[in-house]
Structure formats: structure tokens, C-alpha cells
């Protein structure tokens, strides 16, 4: 899946279509606060699309995850295209804003995904831990970002795995099936 994702990510047309679908998902949910991720090799880089979304309405805010310590839930700190960044855990960029944000919608990177709304990540469990410990009563809308080449029929799941509400690819938006 990592190789398939790298290949798909190298196609400019895939990335353009994925950016359009990401903006479609934001329009569909009508939220004003979004958490997303700093891209690693092969992951879709959502920064340009999020920047366009932010520029359309001054009331909107975006945030990126900060790893305070390994094996702990993520914190989301305010981000704009002009926010200074630092290198954090796992050599991933983190905003230096220090302002914690509780996003209404959370974009989650996917190494792979299945037809039931489950994702495969890198195995660190950060997003599962974060969602399990989410502050307040309302969990965020969870939207996986993946490439169509990384779609599979089903994954073996563990008890702590949580299906995503929607998965966005360059080809389509896949809502979680109703059980």
C-alpha cells in the first residue's frame, strides 16, 4: 500500500482531484474548524486546499497535530500558512502557535482504507487514542484522505479501531456505510 500510495501521489491529476474533493467534503459539512496533518512521503499535501478554505472566511480556523509525548493523544494547535513551524516527534512539522484548537472535522491520513470506513495508518495508534480521549461530548467528523489505489475490501480490525465518517480520494467521496 505504501508503494501504491507513493505512485498515486506522484500523479498531479490525482492530487488536483483530491484537493477538489477535500474542498467538497468541507462544503458538505459546513464546519468552521478543521484539524489536518503535516504530510509525510506519499501522503496527500492538504495545505494548499486548507489555505484556500481558510481564505474564503475569516471565521474559519485550521490546526495541526502536536505530539506532546509518545503514546499520548494528540493535541491540535492553530495553524495558518504563515505560522512558524518546528520539527516535533517523528520528525514531523508542528505549529509553534501554542494555541490549542478542538476541531469540528478531522482529516486523517490513510495508508489504506476499506469499504467499511476503516483505515490503515502507520500503526502508532495516535488517531485512535486521540479520538477515544476526545474532550467534550461531541466527537469530530472524521474524514480519511487516501488514494484510490490504496482501497481494499476489508482489514483485520482491532477492538480500538474506529471507522471514519467519510473517506476522500481523487475518484470519490465514500461515506461510512450504515450498518
Amino acid at each position: 500500500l505504501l508503494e501504491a500510495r507513493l505512485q498515486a501521489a506522484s500523479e498531479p491529476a490525482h492530487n488536483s482531484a483530491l484537493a477538489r474533493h477535500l474542498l467538497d467534503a468541507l462544503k458538505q459539512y459546513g464546519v468552521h474548524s478543521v484539524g489536518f496533518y503535516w504530510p509525510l512521503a506519499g501522503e496527500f499535501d492538504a495545505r494548499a486546499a486548507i489555505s484556500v478554505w481558510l481564505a474564503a472566511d475569516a471565521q474559519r480556523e485550521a490546526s495541526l497535530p502536536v505530539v506532546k509525548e509518545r503514546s499520548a493523544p494528540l493535541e491540535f494547535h492553530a495553524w495558518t500558512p504563515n505560522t512558524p513551524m518546528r520539527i516535533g516527534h517523528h520528525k514531523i512539522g508542528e505549529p509553534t502557535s501554542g494555541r490549542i484548537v478542538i476541531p469540528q472535522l478531522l482529516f486523517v491520513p490513510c495508508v489504506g482504507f476499506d469499504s467499511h470506513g476503516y483505515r490503515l495508518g502507520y500503526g502508532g495508534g495516535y488517531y485512535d487514542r486521540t479520538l477515544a480521549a476526545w474532550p467534550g461530548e461531541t466527537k469530530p467528523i472524521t474524514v480519511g484522505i487516501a488514494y484510490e489505489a490504496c482501497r481494499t475490501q476489508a482489514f483485520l480490525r482491532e477492538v480500538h479501531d474506529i471507522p471514519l465518517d467519510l473517506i476522500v480520494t481523487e475518484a470519490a467521496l465514500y461515506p461510512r456505510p450504515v450498518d
Side-chain angles (χ1 to χ4, degrees):
L1 291 174
L2 289 171
E3 286 180 29
R5 187 176 72 175
L6 270 173
Q7 177 63 36
S10 71
E11 299 290 334
H14 289 333
N15 292 313
S16 294
L18 194 42
R20 285 191 306 276
H21 286 155
L22 183 146
L23 291 170
D24 289 344
L26 287 170
K27 190 183 301 182
Q28 173 182 324
Y29 288 111
V31 296
H32 70 271
S33 178
V34 171
F36 69 115
Y37 57 88
W38 191 264
L40 299 176
E43 291 179 341
F44 175 73
D45 186 349
R47 290 176 290 179
I50 297 295
S51 295
V52 166
W53 179 78
L54 285 171
D57 184 338
Q59 299 301 311
R60 293 175 176 168
E61 65 181 346
S63 56
L64 288 169
V66 171
V67 177
K68 297 303 271 185
E69 62 182 82
R70 291 178 193 265
S71 301
L74 299 167
E75 278 186 3
F76 286 83
H77 290 200
W79 176 88
T80 70
N82 299 320
T83 299
M85 301 292 288
R86 68 172 172 253
I87 300 301
H89 284 280
H90 308 293
K91 299 182 182 174
I92 298 172
E94 298 178 344
T96 60
S97 68
R99 186 168 65 82
I100 296 174
V101 173
I102 308 297
Q104 296 169 299
L105 184 145
L106 186 58
F107 283 113
V108 183
C110 300
V111 172
F113 70 100
D114 70 16
S115 58
H116 304 287
Y118 288 90
R119 73 180 268 277
L120 179 64
Y122 287 108
Y126 283 102
Y127 283 95
D128 292 323
R129 267 193 303 283
T130 300
L131 291 169
W134 198 260
E137 295 177 22
T138 305
K139 300 263 190 231
I141 299 160
T142 54
V143 178
I145 298 180
Y147 291 99
E148 198 66 31
C150 300
R151 182 181 175 138
T152 66
Q153 282 298 79
F155 289 120
L156 291 175
R157 292 179 216 123
E158 296 184 35
V159 134
H160 62 270
D161 289 338
I162 300 169
L164 302 169
D165 296 307
L166 180 75
I167 296 173
V168 176
T169 73
E170 75 278 12
L173 285 86
Y174 297 101
R176 179 176 57 199
V178 178
D179 292 333

